[in-house]
Amino acid sequence: MSDATEQITTIALDLDNTLLNSQKNISAANTAVLKQLHQQGKRIVLCTGRALTLIKPWLQQLDLTQPTDYSITYNGGLIQNNVTNEILSQTVLTKTDIAILYRDARKLDFPLDVLGIDGVYSLMELGKSDYENYLKHQLPFKNLTFEQLPEHEVYGKAVCATTEAVVQRIRYQLSPATQEKFQIVPSRREMLEFMPAGVNKAAGLKQLLAHFGDDFSNLMAFGDEENDLEMIQAAGIGVAMENAIPQVKAVAQAVTKNNDADGVAYYLRQYFQL
């Protein structure tokens, strides 16, 4: 490998519409290339809004089960060891924080699901969203009111899963208090996510890289959506998928093939001369 390829120690990958194809699978080509690079000593880090529990099958598929393998979950709010589940870093919300968002949800009429440690709470007075179906019931859901939301539990994020039209309507009408308290970003066209202020995938990766004595110059990142923007911009090499939104392509150093054409494998083979 050249000095340039040796400089890259860590490869960060968004999941939906980046590493995953339209069938929500990691292709054989992507699997083979990532396994090869991991065996050569590169860190492979999945970066997602999902909980670690939900990505375990993909971690197993890619053999990301070594003691030094980590994932970035909750869009940067949680950094966990893939094997032990040990938390390297965590940024959380309290019920008091959620109350600020809840007032907006009541006023603007949108559904809200709150992700706790052991499952998801659907705030039923706001209407049941499609989030449970979207997750295919892979996490336990509990239907309750905001008043019943546990007072002393901490929360990773809140999610508004609705129609694209509602997402577009509400995201620019949220109160200044909500905009100050939360990092607000669509993870897909029909889903708006609310993380603690300052949380994004780049912030999580910065902490993980520092843990290993590295920085952004050692990072290559792949993404397609608005919640990937910061990490694509921060990475030494930021790669946008061909199917990425224009904002991501604008800050990327390279554009690869789309997620149904093994875009991740295509770029990695070229860059690392595999």
Side-chain angles (χ1 to χ4, degrees):
M1 290 187 180
S2 67
D3 289 344
T5 56
E6 291 286 358
Q7 175 76 8
I8 299 299
T9 63
T10 305
I11 300 166
L13 300 138
D14 170 57
L15 288 176
D16 289 308
N17 299 317
T18 297
L19 181 59
L20 302 181
N21 59 25
S22 296
Q23 287 71 50
K24 303 294 185 186
N25 296 319
I26 304 177
S27 70
N30 283 341
T31 300
V33 169
L34 290 170
K35 279 186 173 182
Q36 183 178 350
L37 288 168
H38 190 237
Q39 288 164 3
Q40 292 175 3
K42 303 297 183 187
R43 268 179 237 107
I44 310 297
V45 181
L46 302 188
C47 298
T48 177
R50 292 175 171 87
L52 188 66
T53 305
L54 299 183
I55 67 171
K56 288 283 189 179
W58 293 314
L59 297 174
Q60 294 286 341
Q61 181 179 341
L62 297 173
D63 290 341
L64 301 180
T65 53
Q66 301 304 307
T68 55
D69 285 332
Y70 287 82
S71 294
I72 307 283
T73 59
Y74 293 122
N75 283 318
L78 187 59
I79 307 169
Q80 274 182 286
N81 185 281
N82 294 351
V83 181
T84 65
N85 296 338
E86 179 187 354
I87 294 172
L88 180 65
S89 176
Q90 183 178 25
T91 309
V92 297
L93 298 163
T94 65
K95 184 175 180 178
T96 302
D97 299 328
I98 300 295
I100 298 169
L101 176 59
Y102 173 72
R103 286 194 288 271
D104 273 9
R106 290 289 297 262
K107 179 180 177 181
L108 298 174
D109 188 26
F110 61 86
L112 210 54
D113 294 277
V114 183
L115 279 78
I117 295 172
D118 299 317
V120 185
Y121 299 103
S122 295
L123 304 185
M124 294 306 293
E125 68 268 42
L126 302 173
K128 182 72 173 177
S129 79
D130 196 43
Y131 192 50
E132 187 168 5
N133 291 331
Y134 168 75
L135 291 183
K136 303 187 189 309
H137 311 282
Q138 292 173 300
L139 285 177
F141 273 69
K142 185 173 183 178
N143 298 331
L144 42 63
T145 65
F146 175 76
E147 186 176 344
Q148 295 169 324
L149 192 69
E151 189 79 42
H152 302 295
E153 189 169 336
V154 293
Y155 303 98
K157 65 177 181 178
V159 173
C160 170
T162 179
T163 64
E164 183 177 354
V166 172
V167 168
Q168 291 302 319
R169 173 177 66 82
I170 68 173
R171 69 174 300 193
Y172 299 111
Q173 297 180 27
L174 295 163
S175 68
T178 292
Q179 294 183 51
E180 182 179 348
K181 178 60 66 174
F182 296 89
Q183 180 86 6
I184 305 162
V185 66
S187 55
R188 50 190 290 145
R189 306 299 193 275
E190 308 85 15
M191 193 175 297
L192 201 59
E193 302 203 8
F194 302 85
M195 284 84 62
V199 165
N200 56 57
K201 293 179 181 180
L205 284 163
K206 183 178 181 180
Q207 294 180 75
L208 182 60
L209 287 162
H211 177 70
F212 290 104
D214 288 345
D215 58 31
F216 284 130
S217 68
N218 304 115
L219 176 68
M220 177 184 288
F222 290 80
D224 73 293
E225 192 49 85
E226 193 170 334
N227 65 335
D228 303 316
L229 193 61
E230 292 90 353
M231 76 169 180
I232 297 296
Q233 191 166 26
I237 300 174
V239 185
M241 308 303 291
E242 190 278 327
N243 50 284
I245 62 172
Q247 299 97 302
V248 171
K249 288 181 178 177
V251 300
Q253 290 184 310
V255 177
T256 188
K257 293 182 178 182
N258 69 49
N259 64 307
D260 285 321
D262 301 325
V264 169
Y266 177 79
Y267 187 84
L268 291 173
R269 282 192 189 118
Q270 285 190 317
Y271 187 84
F272 291 102
Q273 301 175 346
L274 300 176

